[in-house]
């Protein structure tokens, strides 16, 4: 059984600006601030045999203010900086595109599970936003939210103070699952 950890990009792996109580996704490589403090934590997940999948909603592509080539440059840098990342899936759509992959829809998780052979109902979702927890619920993943202004009031499995606490929790839950 292969298990995945689906990690939201903005707010976990990079540090976006906050404007009017909203995270603002970077539009240019120069504004893309990678959170290198996560590197040893991703290594721990990897050492535990978990597949690390990054997911991100980037509706700026559909809306026309984010250039795909610039996004690719950011993601090249992200994967070079954090080589523990196995895959990175993007929803480039807007609400009005009615796609199956814009979180809180779970399409990116399903796509990655198919591609990597992951067992979704034993896999984990990490984010600082409610949309990921909602998508996790839809496909049976365990959701772990880092406390933030964006966790909402809908279902989530765990809220923890930071990514380090999330990783400890995942490793604990995974050990329990393997033992069961
Ligand atoms: Zn989409």
């Amino acid at each position: 059984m292969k298990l995945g950890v689906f990690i939201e990009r903005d707010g976990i792996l990079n540090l976006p600006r906050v404007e009017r109580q909203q995270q603002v996704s970077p539009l240019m490589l120069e504004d893309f601030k990678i959170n290198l403090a996560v590197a040893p934590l991703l290594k721990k997940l990897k050492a535990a045999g978990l597949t690390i999948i990054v997911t991100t909603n980037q509706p700026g592509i559909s809306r026309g203010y984010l250039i795909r080539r610039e996004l690719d440059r950011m993601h090249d840098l992200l994967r070079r900086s954090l080589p523990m990342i196995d895959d990175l899936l993007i929803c480039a759509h807007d609400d009005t595109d009615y796609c199956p992959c814009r979180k809180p829809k779970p399409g990116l998780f399903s796509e990655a599970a198919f591609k990597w052979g992951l067992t979704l109902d034993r896999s984990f979702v990490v984010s600082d936003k409610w949309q990921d927890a909602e998508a996790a619920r839809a496909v049976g993943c365990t959701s772990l939210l880092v406390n933030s202004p964006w966790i909402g009031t809908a279902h989530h499995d765990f809220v923890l103070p930071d990514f380090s606490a999330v990783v400890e929790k995942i490793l604990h839950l995974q050990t329990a699952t393997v033992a069961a």
Side-chain angles (χ1 to χ4, degrees), residues 5 45 50 124 126 144 166-174:
V5 182
L45 294 174
L50 295 156
F124 305 95
V126 180
L144 303 102
V166 165
V167 169
E168 290 310 314
K169 189 73 174 176
I170 289 173
L171 296 176
H172 183 79
L173 291 169
Q174 190 215 14

Side-chain angles (χ1 to χ4, degrees), residues 2-175:
K2 232 171 125 186
L3 308 185
V5 182
F6 300 99
I7 304 178
E8 154 70 347
R9 192 198 78 174
D10 289 335
I12 305 288
L13 301 183
N14 62 294
L15 306 165
R17 281 183 301 122
V18 175
E19 275 176 18
R20 295 188 289 275
Q21 284 89 52
Q22 294 290 326
Q23 285 183 351
V24 182
S25 298
L27 301 180
M28 293 192 301
L29 184 64
E30 290 69 28
D31 299 326
F32 189 58
K33 307 291 179 213
I34 295 173
N35 180 14
L36 290 172
V38 303
L41 299 166
L42 294 180
K43 268 187 199 148
K44 280 191 187 181
L45 294 174
K46 195 88 182 177
L50 295 156
T51 301
I52 298 178
I53 310 284
V54 178
T55 67
T56 184
N57 283 353
Q58 293 299 325
I61 300 268
S62 175
R63 294 172 192 164
Y65 56 73
L66 174 61
I67 299 164
R68 182 61 196 236
R69 193 179 60 239
E70 201 64 23
L71 184 67
D72 290 343
R73 287 175 69 200
M74 290 184 236
H75 288 170
D76 285 346
L77 179 65
L78 185 66
R79 297 184 76 152
R80 275 204 310 275
S81 305
L82 301 171
M84 318 82 189
I85 294 171
D86 290 297
D87 209 350
L88 197 163
L89 281 79
I90 303 159
C91 169
H93 309 114
D94 200 353
D95 287 324
T96 51
D97 296 324
Y98 301 106
C99 70
C101 50
R102 178 162 163 78
K103 298 179 286 186
K105 290 187 183 156
L108 295 181
F109 301 167
S110 312
E111 184 186 339
F114 180 76
K115 183 172 169 186
W116 289 86
L118 306 173
T119 303
L120 277 175
D121 63 5
R122 293 282 188 277
S123 291
F124 305 95
V125 171
V126 180
S127 179
D128 61 348
K129 289 180 276 296
W130 67 268
Q131 286 88 343
D132 293 83
E134 179 61 27
R137 193 190 55 76
V139 290
C141 296
T142 299
S143 58
L144 303 102
L145 294 179
V146 173
N147 203 5
S148 84
W150 304 289
I151 63 172
T153 54
H155 174 82
H156 47 250
D157 293 302
F158 300 98
V159 177
L160 294 152
D162 52 38
F163 186 59
S164 171
V166 165
V167 169
E168 290 310 314
K169 189 73 174 176
I170 289 173
L171 296 176
H172 183 79
L173 291 169
Q174 190 215 14
T175 307

